[in-house]
């Protein structure tokens, strides 16, 4: 395994918590969309959300209904909730104040020599709009997200890539990101979540 991310030919990036400091904004979005439900049940979802940062909102809304509320939910209803959530995110997260400067500086400095791609649990259309508004879209070869699961996004990238697995790494802030890298046999670096330090591959800053 290489010791620094800039030694790879390709970096697959998570988005939330790695490129943008969006986790609290995402929390507020779930609270707003589900505001008619009991607070205790919403708190259970927020706990699940924080423990599973790499999972899509589609999975989280299904979990809320089927596990927390013990009721059924149609695919149409899941999509309606996801669309409402996305409206809130597009209004709030298009501001550059949420960009993580440490990461963005590294991406902009290295995007000519390293192929950069986003593989995120966030909605793909929403991601592409946000990256355009934040003026970082041009630094990425591809920007991919849900409803396709992250494990599959990584697998699809590898299947169509000319690069070898040892030339590719994934940088993320959750165990879901680690699992997506591990199951696809590429290197993983944790970032912006000290609970991932024990994995032994952790970036405190791209410039230390």
């Amino acid at each position: 395994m290489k010791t620094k991310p800039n030694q790879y030919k390709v970096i697959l990036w998570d988005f939330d918590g790695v490129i943008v400091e969006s986790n609290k904004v995402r929390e507020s979005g779930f609270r707003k969309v589900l505001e008619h439900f009991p607070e205790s049940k919403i708190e259970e979802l927020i706990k699940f959300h924080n423990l599973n940062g790499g999972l899509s909102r589609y999975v989280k809304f299904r979990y809320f209904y089927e596990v927390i509320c013990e009721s059924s939910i149609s695919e149409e209803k899941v999509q309606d909730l996801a669309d409402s959530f996305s409206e809130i995110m597009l209004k709030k997260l298009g501001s550059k104040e949420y960009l993580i400067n440490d990461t963005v500086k590294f991406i902009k400095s290295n995007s000519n020599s390293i192929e950069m791609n986003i593989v995120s649990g966030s909605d793909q259309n929403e991601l592409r709009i946000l990256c355009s508004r934040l003026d970082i879209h041009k630094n990425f070869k591809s920007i991919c997200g849900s409803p396709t699961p992250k494990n599959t996004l990584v697998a699809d990238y590898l299947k169509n890539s000319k690069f070898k697995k040892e030339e590719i790494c994934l940088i993320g802030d959750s165990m879901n990101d680690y699992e997506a890298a591990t199951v696809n046999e590429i290197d993983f670096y944790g970032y912006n979540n000290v609970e991932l330090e024990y994995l032994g591959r952790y970036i405190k800053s791209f410039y230390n």
Side-chain angles (χ1 to χ4, degrees):
M1 174 171 176
K2 300 168 180 65
T3 57
K4 295 182 179 180
N6 61 6
Q7 295 175 318
Y8 293 84
K9 293 184 179 179
V10 178
I11 299 177
L12 305 180
W13 296 89
D14 179 37
F15 185 75
D16 294 292
V18 177
I19 296 173
V20 293
E21 195 63 85
S22 58
N23 292 334
K24 291 299 180 184
V25 179
R26 301 281 185 196
E27 275 189 29
S28 69
F30 282 116
R31 293 183 193 281
K32 180 63 178 175
V33 171
L34 300 170
E35 63 184 348
H36 299 300
F37 287 88
E39 183 66 25
S40 61
K41 293 191 180 298
I42 296 173
E43 288 306 315
E44 283 188 61
L45 177 69
I46 297 301
K47 187 181 295 184
F48 180 77
H49 161 68
N50 287 328
L51 288 171
N52 296 277
L55 293 182
S56 75
R57 65 200 60 179
Y58 302 90
V59 172
K60 290 171 184 176
F61 283 127
R62 285 191 203 98
Y63 180 88
F64 179 75
Y65 271 78
E66 294 173 357
V67 178
I68 296 174
C69 297
E70 298 180 342
S71 63
S72 60
I73 183 171
S74 67
E75 289 302 308
E76 183 180 18
K77 180 61 175 176
V78 170
Q79 190 61 56
D80 286 344
L81 291 168
D83 289 344
S84 297
F85 185 88
S86 192
E87 281 182 30
I88 297 169
M89 295 304 103
L90 286 171
K91 287 177 182 176
K92 293 189 174 184
L93 287 178
S95 170
K96 291 186 178 182
E97 69 182 282
Y98 292 108
L99 286 171
I100 298 175
N101 292 327
D102 182 58
T103 307
V104 174
K105 180 182 175 184
F106 176 85
I107 291 170
K108 289 185 175 181
S109 298
N110 291 280
S111 60
N112 288 331
S113 56
I114 302 171
E115 183 190 295
M116 308 289 187
N117 301 271
I118 291 176
V119 288
S120 172
S122 291
D123 179 79
Q124 182 166 285
N125 291 333
E126 176 189 305
L127 276 173
R128 292 175 177 178
I129 293 170
L130 286 175
C131 286
S132 180
R133 288 182 184 174
L134 294 167
D135 196 31
I136 58 173
H137 61 290
K138 57 185 176 291
N139 299 115
F140 299 98
K141 182 179 180 183
S142 66
I143 299 171
C144 298
S146 63
T148 304
K150 186 167 298 191
N151 288 4
T152 306
L153 290 175
V154 176
D156 288 346
Y157 173 82
L158 294 174
K159 185 170 60 179
N160 297 307
S161 175
K162 64 181 181 181
F163 296 99
K164 299 174 183 176
K165 288 185 177 183
E166 58 266 27
E167 297 175 318
I168 303 167
C169 73
L170 190 155
I171 300 175
D173 70 333
S174 74
M175 282 302 297
N176 300 110
D177 297 318
Y178 171 74
E179 289 160 7
T182 303
V183 75
N184 284 290
E185 301 176 324
I186 60 172
D187 290 341
F188 171 79
Y189 290 83
Y191 180 76
N192 202 23
N193 180 355
V194 294
E195 292 181 7
L196 300 178
E197 281 195 67
Y198 76 93
L199 296 172
R201 297 170 285 187
Y202 189 78
I203 301 165
K204 292 185 178 178
S205 168
F206 289 97
Y207 293 96
N208 284 345

